[in-house]
Amino acid sequence: NSDQPGMMMQEMGMMAMHQMSQPQPMTLLHVADQLELSAEQIEELQALQEGAKSAHQGHMQAAMEAHQRARTALEEGREDRQAYASAIEEAGSHMAMAHVAMTNAALDAKALLSDEQQSRLQMATKMGSMMQGQMRGMCAGMMGSSGMPQGMQDGGGGQHPHN
């Protein structure tokens, strides 16, 4: 199927978006004081973080190795399309499993929180999003529509010599 790689990339992008919307165990550990996490919760979050990190690294390593096999399959004189396709599928599968491992850890971490802790986390997340939006707005205000600082958009503050 000719559109399969593009579709896979879109699906992986959506998975990454879902993963990013879930707080990772490390994120919760960084705000342990604000969430008033118990020693037991901290210990469980640390275990989740280590497990997720190990699974993620293992899958990403396997994906890199599969990418290398894909490159080898297309070396001059070889050009084994079937081996290339198989290696790319394997790499994509490992990348997806790396995302799944991180998402599972995030969901397990969230399940460790009490309702009150989840409410605090949700409020902190909203505040963080608002702050990021304000920072983007301030940056956009300092930068012109070209993405360059005001006054430099036309090449340094003046008429362009070719106009």
Side-chain angles (χ1 to χ4, degrees):
N1 189 349
S2 63
D3 64 354
Q4 198 171 20
M7 186 180 247
M8 186 183 345
M9 291 302 288
Q10 285 179 340
E11 289 173 5
M12 287 177 64
M14 290 188 333
M15 285 189 293
M17 292 290 285
H18 289 296
Q19 177 186 327
M20 290 170 53
S21 69
Q22 300 296 325
Q24 293 296 313
M26 184 59 70
T27 304
L28 300 181
L29 289 167
H30 283 296
V31 294
D33 290 342
Q34 294 90 325
L35 295 176
E36 297 179 7
L37 297 177
S38 69
E40 184 179 330
Q41 285 175 310
I42 290 172
E43 194 174 298
E44 289 184 54
L45 287 169
Q46 288 170 333
L48 282 173
Q49 177 61 28
E50 283 305 309
K53 180 180 173 184
S54 176
H56 184 268
Q57 287 176 337
H59 282 295
M60 293 308 288
Q61 179 64 39
M64 289 189 313
E65 291 167 5
H67 276 283
Q68 181 57 45
R69 283 192 304 279
R71 282 189 292 278
T72 301
L74 293 182
E75 286 177 351
E76 185 107 11
R78 184 165 181 214
E79 298 174 357
D80 185 341
R81 294 177 190 206
Q82 184 58 44
Y84 172 80
S86 179
I88 290 296
E89 282 184 27
E90 181 184 344
S93 177
H94 280 292
M95 291 174 74
M97 292 309 297
H99 285 289
V100 168
M102 297 304 287
T103 299
N104 285 340
L107 294 172
D108 290 345
K110 186 177 174 187
L112 292 174
L113 302 180
S114 69
D115 290 343
E116 182 181 334
Q117 289 169 325
Q118 287 189 26
S119 293
R120 285 184 194 166
L121 179 63
Q122 194 172 37
M123 182 65 76
T125 302
K126 285 181 183 176
M127 292 299 290
S129 294
M130 287 184 351
M131 293 294 284
Q132 286 178 344
Q134 288 175 346
M135 291 300 289
R136 275 194 291 273
M138 287 178 9
C139 288
M142 290 189 293
M143 308 294 254
S145 60
S146 69
M148 296 194 52
Q150 296 286 341
M152 295 187 70
Q153 295 169 5
D154 59 5
Q159 284 294 83
H160 206 283
H162 299 291
N163 288 347

